[in-house]
Amino acid sequence: MKTIFPTFGSPTKHRDYQEAIRRMLPHFRNLTFHQITGQELYKFTETLKWKTGPNKGKPLSRARKVNILIPFRAIWNDACDHYRWVIKNPCDGIHKKLPKTEKKERLALRFRDWQLFLESLEEHYRPIAELMILTGMIVSEMAALTKDSIQGDYLKLTSSYVLKNEKSSLKTAFRKRDIYITDAIRKRLDILVARAATPYLVTSARGSRLHSTDFAKVWKKAVDKAGIAPMTSYTARHTFAAWALTIGVNPLRLVKLMGHASKQMVYEVYGNYVEGLEEDAVAILDYFGRDFIEPRKKKNPALYGYSTGHSQGIVKPNYLIPLSY
């Protein structure tokens, strides 16, 4: 804690390591490294339970346990390197011992559920939530937006705001991206600009910068009031991807819009969310706007699968076009 911890630049890493070490010390404080075996480490993982919230007292998920073991592995490796110890790492094979937990399926919202949610959300936060689902941005990216982020036809994402700390970097280098400002996005940005009393665009109802914990409470309150299935604000990002695919956006373009390094996430994760949304396609397209799938610099209908219905003011997503078209 005295030598390594101060070198961490990420506030998230500070928080995660502190929590993990607080959990580890009671169990391992009086054990020598020789006494810490794989079986002893497994016994420790069996004691890991939720301390607060609705799951209080229940075992942590496999993923949470693995994350807590990350600092343990780092401490072990550093100690072995420093003292030139040649002893078996108890972390070896621990993943095979941990019980598998069923992953929760992250489904995209149906359009009607999104409308019910917005109607139940406090008015101040509606343009914020809408900007999230129209762009795929997350709370930390939104909180870092300033008036200077709006540059002509593009919204430039270059930083994030995590745990009340400004970060000049995003989750990955690919998350730094330029988002084309459609008419729908511009409408929400205009609201945020008009009411911004500081350089920051996205604020709480009190005027302070948006904070993920406070926003999560506001979000949950609206979900409960709307009577829809439980979801977090991150659902808006998944829904953005699913809706984009539903109205025929090229998956390779979606990779850039989402700020991913490759198309793997789009094909293997978000692609699963499209099923069942087909009947919402027209409403989604109207909500996003035609300029979302047809950027001004790319007006070739062949690229986006437009049907002859375009001349009648109707645009069909490319999955609705007959194969013989």
Side-chain angles (χ1 to χ4, degrees), residues 183-203:
D183 289 342
I185 294 174
R186 179 77 66 180
K187 179 180 177 181
R188 278 72 183 184
L189 285 175
D190 286 345
I191 295 174
L192 297 180
V193 170
R195 72 186 188 192
T198 70
Y200 298 103
L201 281 179
V202 186
T203 62

Side-chain angles (χ1 to χ4, degrees), residues 31-184:
L31 296 179
T32 66
F33 275 63
H34 179 72
Q35 292 172 315
I36 303 175
T37 63
Q39 186 61 29
E40 189 65 41
L41 189 61
Y42 176 73
K43 285 168 59 178
F44 163 67
T45 63
E46 288 292 277
T47 68
L48 297 175
K49 303 181 185 299
W50 288 97
K51 293 184 177 181
T52 59
N55 293 324
K56 183 177 180 180
K58 295 182 180 179
L60 294 183
S61 67
R62 174 190 173 92
R64 288 274 292 174
K65 291 180 179 180
V66 169
N67 286 340
I68 288 174
L69 293 181
I70 292 175
F72 180 95
R73 187 188 294 272
I75 292 169
W76 183 278
N77 289 339
D78 283 349
C80 289
D81 180 64
H82 181 77
Y83 293 106
R84 299 293 191 271
W85 290 337
V86 182
I87 51 179
K88 180 177 172 56
N89 191 326
C91 292
D92 293 345
I94 191 67
H95 291 73
K96 296 180 181 179
K97 297 179 181 179
L98 295 177
K100 293 183 178 180
T101 53
E102 186 177 349
K103 290 185 177 180
K104 293 182 179 180
E105 189 177 9
R106 296 178 176 176
L107 297 176
L109 287 170
R110 295 294 302 270
F111 189 76
R112 178 55 183 160
D113 286 342
W114 178 248
Q115 288 181 310
L116 290 172
F117 169 75
L118 286 179
E119 291 170 1
S120 303
L121 187 64
E122 293 178 31
E123 185 175 356
H124 176 88
Y125 294 97
R126 288 176 191 169
I128 298 174
E130 289 192 286
L131 190 57
M132 292 177 71
I133 207 167
L134 288 169
T135 62
M137 287 191 290
I138 58 177
V139 176
S140 59
E141 293 171 340
M142 298 276 290
L145 291 177
T146 66
K147 294 175 183 177
D148 290 337
S149 300
I150 304 173
Q151 298 185 19
D153 289 336
Y154 290 89
L155 184 63
K156 291 186 174 291
L157 272 63
T158 59
S159 61
S160 61
Y161 185 67
V162 182
L163 298 177
K164 297 185 179 181
N165 286 278
E166 196 81 38
K167 294 180 65 178
S168 59
S169 62
L170 293 167
K171 187 175 181 180
T172 68
F174 299 96
R175 285 289 185 93
K176 287 190 176 183
R177 58 201 190 275
D178 295 343
I179 298 176
Y180 177 72
I181 301 176
T182 63
D183 289 342

